Amino acid sequence: MNTLCIRSGRVIDPSQNIDQIADLWIQGEKILGIGSNLAPNPDQIIDAKGMIITPGLIDMHVHLREPGREEDETIATGAHSAIVGGVTSVACMPNTEPAIDTQASAEFVILQAKRAGYANVFPIGAITKGREGKELAEIGGLVNGGAVAFTDDGSPVVSAEIMRRAMEYCKGFDKTVLSHSEDLDLTKGGVMNEGFESMRLGLRGLPAAAEEVMIYREIALAELTGAKVHILHVSTKGGVELIRQGKSRGVKASGEACPHHFTLTDKCLRTFDSNYKMSPPLRTQNDIDAILVGLKDNTLEVLATDHAPHAPEKKMRELDQAPNGIIGLETFLPICIQALIIPGVLTWKQMIEKMTINPAKVLGIDRGTLKPNAWADITIIDPDVEWTIDPNRFKSKSRNCPYAGWKVKGRAEKVFVAGVLKQDKSPL
Amino acid sequence: MTSSETAIDCGSWTKKHLLGIEELSVAELETIFKASEFFVEASRNPEKKHTFLKGKVVANLFFESSTRTRVSFGLAARRLGAETIDFSPAGSSVSKGESFIDTAKNILALGVNGFIIRHSVPGTPHLLAQQLGVSIINAGDGAHEHPTQGLLDAFTILQEKKKIKGLTVGLVGDIAHSRVARSNIHTLTKLGAKVIVCGPPTLIPKEIEQLGVRSSYDLDKILPECDVVNVLRIQFERQRSGLFPSIQEYFRLFGMTMDRVKKCRPDMLLLAPGPINRGIELTPEVADMPNSAILKQVTNGLAVRMAVLYLALSAKV
């Protein structure tokens, strides 16, 4: 078996509480360990001086659109886009056409990802058949097919009774339920955060309360059932507080923040650019401040992108008609560095924890660590390289990115998946 | 035509588009009023044909239905010597799924110098202004702005009251969903009027006071203070979406009746952007009383739109 030594980089592995200059050793597809001279005569040595070496990043919230909307993204282009972003594992949402709601459809995702040969792709199964919110999907079959968690993301589960039973049923497989928390009555017709900006622009609002009443419901149901619930894309101050309170009572809840929700506000909509339209919507500075506190005190233990590709002809529409969402895989790392590391909100180790071992724990997958004998998924980050975001260089099929033109610092250069070098140099 | 035709004072006007009042300066508002004054005077002589926009083509691009505004803009463009194209989406490619940008680009290819656009979605004129190289005049974008209505309402107040600064103007009705309300608020607050918005709380956004206005849920309380009352139209579908219980209750609480007029100052000026629903926002007697400037608004609308088209299409950018 080939032995590789990545030499003299700053190795950050929060799963082992490591942040030190060290050599990382790989043997075949697994990690050999961290230290000096773990093997005689390595076959290859990579000099990583000045670089940061982390477990391959995990993005547990992406939309890969296949099957059904291959004009926006495919599993192959999405998984390639992940690698460029330094992300070696993604978990993809089941809101495809048809939905990922059977064992066969979960297996299809895994097969397509294998064929593509970029990042690992872990399917997330639908909670209900066809994501219609009416009957539970065959969760046991989905687990057999490789599904790692369950959600109807894109939509909430409207019925509290069905959500309760889903949580209970998932407990039997030790799987987490992921909640897209939105009260659809309150958000009907909405295109942006409800507040001063929406009033001024005459645009229909989605009130923060629409997210918060649902987060409260999910926390209460998790408390009732003892199940594990993960609140996706938390965007409001009140939402962060509800999760914090739930956790303090011992509820098995986790929370997730997406870069756009702590870097952009609803003021961006003054341009009427649909690249600022997403659900939940961009909120206010007040909400950003609360999300940053939530990231700091670990109320929000996961960073994820909610990568949501849409072909330009669909996104370049009147705001009412443009679909929700932006792509995020290739800007994940630099935007988080800009918003979290540079201002000192989080240390590198804290940030990488939310991009590796924490999402791995929520999903129950054996990734996100550099422990001996773990899969050799590794991201080598140049933390100092300065560059300008240009969506035309992305490997994603879509271009709906609000960060075009941003001057940023840091990106993934070399990326390994199971010991195989998938990227030698960033194309960004 | 003679060179005297270009003798309108354009002040420091440099805007190719009129997308909203919010981005206009007081000086620009005054330039528009001055030009409007010119066209009011000029229209006293209907024989007079202007040639300011001779050789230009102005397209009415109305994705949302309109009668008065469309006709008013069309006539304004023709009075200035322009040719006009009328486009409305029924039976057009839009109903075949063509995007509004493609529709506009296709019409542009016919050789159009300016678009007058109305659309139910806020920001649509702004997107076209980025996409097309020609003048865009916003004739109403969703609940966002209806700049020429804001201008003609203010121009009418100016004409009748000889000033705006220091006046108290009540805007009554569905403020939340009204582009007329927003354009009125921006115009009047810039010019130094005090604005009170009044209606049921379901139709008054709680953030509206951040625009520098006062809000009230009690019409009878504010009427004695108002120099001007501008009665906005109520859309029936709002009742169905649960924003107020019935038209009857709305009328009892916020309808302008002669009884309510008696509580007002004798020189109160009544405006209504229309189309008016007689018996819902106001009674027929109120609409037709001497204090009502409803028909003057329509006449002034033509002059204001001529001024706006003239300024935008001849702006040196």
Side-chain angles (χ1 to χ4, degrees), chain A residues 47-105:
Chain A
D47 176 18
K49 227 174 253 155
M51 300 285 148
I52 289 177
I53 321 293
T54 68
L57 306 182
I58 298 173
D59 183 353
M60 65 168 285
H61 191 162
V62 304
H63 298 268
L64 299 184
R65 305 304 187 208
E66 185 181 351
R69 283 171 49 195
E70 288 82 355
E71 67 278 19
D72 300 334
E73 194 81 284
T74 64
I75 290 168
T77 58
H80 192 181
S81 166
I83 293 293
V84 173
V87 174
T88 57
S89 293
V90 296
C92 63
M93 293 296 166
N95 62 335
T96 47
E97 291 161 16
I100 309 298
D101 62 354
T102 60
Q103 174 168 346
S105 53

Side-chain angles (χ1 to χ4, degrees), chain A residues 194-196 198-204 271-273 316-321, chain B residues 22 100-101 119 121-124 126-127 131 143-144 182 205 207-208 210-211:
Chain A
E194 180 175 318
F196 174 67
S198 67
M199 180 279 295
R200 245 185 74 185
L201 299 173
L203 286 164
R204 195 78 77 86
T271 60
F272 296 104
D273 182 344
M316 262 308 289
R317 296 296 310 268
E318 301 93 320
L319 265 179
D320 271 19
Q321 273 133 48
Chain B
E22 197 174 7
F100 77 104
I101 294 172
H119 198 292
V121 181
T124 306
H126 305 66
L127 293 180
Q131 294 279 325
H144 180 222
R182 284 168 184 72
E207 300 85 2
I208 195 98
Q210 293 178 54
L211 293 178

Side-chain angles (χ1 to χ4, degrees), chain B residues 186-236:
Chain B
H186 294 311
T187 316
L188 296 169
T189 54
K190 278 175 205 276
L191 297 172
K194 283 200 296 181
V195 178
I196 308 172
V197 296
C198 184
T202 44
L203 298 177
I204 307 280
K206 67 179 194 300
E207 300 85 2
I208 195 98
E209 295 197 338
Q210 293 178 54
L211 293 178
V213 306
R214 223 174 89 201
S215 49
S216 163
Y217 310 134
D218 187 345
L219 182 60
D220 294 309
K221 223 172 191 167
I222 67 153
L223 280 179
E225 289 180 59
C226 292
D227 298 293
V228 181
V229 176
N230 195 345
V231 180
L232 306 180
R233 186 167 63 103
I234 279 291
Q235 288 176 287
F236 296 107

Side-chain angles (χ1 to χ4, degrees), chain A residues 5-40:
Chain A
C5 176
I6 301 172
R7 184 161 279 173
S8 307
R10 176 179 168 190
V11 178
I12 301 178
D13 180 11
S15 76
Q16 306 179 76
N17 198 22
I18 286 174
D19 180 356
Q20 66 191 59
I21 306 291
D23 299 343
L24 173 67
W25 297 74
I26 298 170
Q27 197 158 52
E29 51 192 17
K30 296 291 178 74
I31 301 286
L32 187 59
I34 297 165
S36 348
N37 300 318
L38 296 194

Side-chain angles (χ1 to χ4, degrees), chain B residues 136-152:
Chain B
I136 305 290
I137 310 293
N138 181 0
D141 61 328
H144 180 222
E145 284 233 39
H146 188 353
T148 56
Q149 184 71 47
L151 290 166
L152 76 89

